[in-house]
C-alpha cells in the first residue's frame, strides 16, 4: 500500500504560470543594453529552468549550453535584474485550471508549498501580481536555501516545516529539475506537459504520471488516497527526516 498524500510542492514558472514573455522581454532588453541583437522568444523559452544565473549565461551566449566570462555575466545579471523588476508579472498568464486545481488539492486536505528556482524577491512579486500570493502556506525561492532544484534540499525543507515524510508529499512540476529533485527526496512526482523543460519532451522525464492540468493532478491524488494505508499504520515519520540545511 502507498502512503497518504498530505502535502503538495508545486513549481512556479511553466507549471502555475506562463512567464516566458516577461523573461524574454527582460533578457532581450539586457542584450540590447549590451549591444547584442534580441533572440526569439521560442529560443529563450528553452533557457528557462535552472534559475536566473544560468538564464543570463544562456541568454548572453545565445544557446542552452553557453557560458560567458565573469565580467560579462555580472554585467548581464545587473541589467537583467533591473529589466525583470519592471517586466515581472506584466504578461504572465495562469495556465488553465490552476485555480481549480489548487482549490481541489486543498479540498483533499493537502497543505501547499510553492518551490521555485526563481529568486525569492521576484517570486513574491510575481505571485502578488498574478493573485496567487495567498494560495500557499510556504513559498521558497531559489535563493532561500543554500541549494536549489534539482537538489532535493528545498523539498526536504518543506517536509520538515510541514511535519510530513517525503513519501507523503507529491511534487508537481514541468521540468527535469522538478523530477530529479523529487526522486532524490523520495517523493512521488507529477509533470504537466505544457511547461518549458529546457526544450525537451516531458515524456522523457522519470515521473509517476503526466497530468494535463493542475486539476488533473488533484484527481490523481484523489485516486492515490483510495490506495493509501491508514495513518496509524504508517511507519514513516517526519521526525525521522535528517537533512542538511543552510541559510542564505
Amino acid at each position: 500500500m502507498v502512503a497518504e498524500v498530505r502535502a503538495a510542492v508545486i513549481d512556479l514558472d511553466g507549471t502555475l504560470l506562463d512567464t516566458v514573455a516577461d523573461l524574454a522581454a527582460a533578457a532581450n532588453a539586457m542584450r540590447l543594453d549590451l549591444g547584442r541583437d534580441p533572440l526569439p522568444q521560442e529560443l529563450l523559452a528553452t533557457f528557462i529552468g535552472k534559475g536566473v544565473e544560468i538564464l543570463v549565461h544562456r541568454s548572453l551566449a545565445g544557446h542552452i549550453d553557453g557560458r560567458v566570462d565573469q565580467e560579462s555575466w555580472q554585467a548581464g545579471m545587473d541589467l537583467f535584474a533591473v529589466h525583470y523588476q519592471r517586466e515581472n508579472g506584466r504578461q504572465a498568464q495562469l495556465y488553465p485550471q490552476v485555480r481549480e486545481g489548487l482549490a481541489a488539492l486543498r479540498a483533499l486536505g493537502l497543505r501547499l508549498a510553492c518551490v521555485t528556482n526563481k529568486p525569492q524577491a521576484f517570486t513574491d512579486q510575481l505571485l502578488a501580481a498574478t493573485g496567487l500570493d495567498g494560495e500557499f502556506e510556504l513559498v521558497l525561492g531559489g535563493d532561500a536555501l543554500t541549494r536549489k532544484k534539482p537538489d532535493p534540499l528545498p523539498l526536504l525543507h518543506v517536509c520538515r516545516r510541514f511535519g510530513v515524510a517525503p513519501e507523503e508529499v507529491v511534487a508537481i512540476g514541468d521540468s527535469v529539475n522538478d523530477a530529479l529533485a523529487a526522486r532524490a527526496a523520495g517523493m512521488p512526482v507529477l509533470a504537466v506537459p505544457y511547461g518549458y523543460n529546457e526544450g525537451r519532451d516531458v515524456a522523457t522525464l522519470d515521473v509517476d504520471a503526466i497530468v494535463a492540468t493542475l486539476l488533473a493532478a488533484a484527481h490523481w491524488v484523489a485516486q492515490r488516497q483510495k490506495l493509501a494505508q491508514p495513518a496509524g499504520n504508517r511507519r514513516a515519520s517526519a521526525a525521522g527526516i535528517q537533512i542538511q540545511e543552510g541559510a542564505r
Side-chain angles (χ1 to χ4, degrees), residues 103-243:
L105 289 167
R106 280 195 300 271
L108 289 167
L110 272 62
R111 302 172 72 177
L112 303 183
C114 179
V115 175
T116 173
N117 283 347
K118 186 187 293 291
Q120 189 75 48
F122 287 145
T123 297
D124 294 340
Q125 178 189 9
L126 179 58
L127 290 175
T130 55
L132 293 177
D133 48 335
E135 298 283 358
F136 300 96
E137 185 175 341
L138 177 63
V139 175
L140 286 180
D143 53 358
L145 302 171
T146 55
R147 299 187 298 280
K148 65 184 71 172
K149 297 180 293 185
D151 194 281
L153 175 64
L155 278 61
L156 293 173
H157 179 83
V158 173
C159 293
R160 187 183 67 81
R161 287 284 300 271
F162 283 1
V164 296
E167 59 266 31
E168 298 173 320
V169 182
V170 61
I172 307 171
D174 70 301
S175 76
V176 63
N177 300 305
D178 302 305
L180 290 173
R183 287 296 187 230
M187 296 177 180
V189 55
L190 307 176
V192 293
Y194 48 70
Y196 309 129
N197 195 32
E198 300 177 284
R200 303 167 186 161
D201 189 342
V202 71
T204 63
L205 298 179
D206 175 21
V207 296
D208 291 275
I210 297 172
V211 291
T213 66
L214 206 62
L215 183 58
H219 294 159
W220 184 93
V221 171
Q223 292 301 310
R224 185 180 175 93
Q225 301 296 56
K226 296 177 181 179
L227 304 175
Q229 54 186 312
N233 294 339
R234 287 195 302 265
R235 299 178 63 186
S237 170
I241 301 172
Q242 299 296 324
I243 58 176

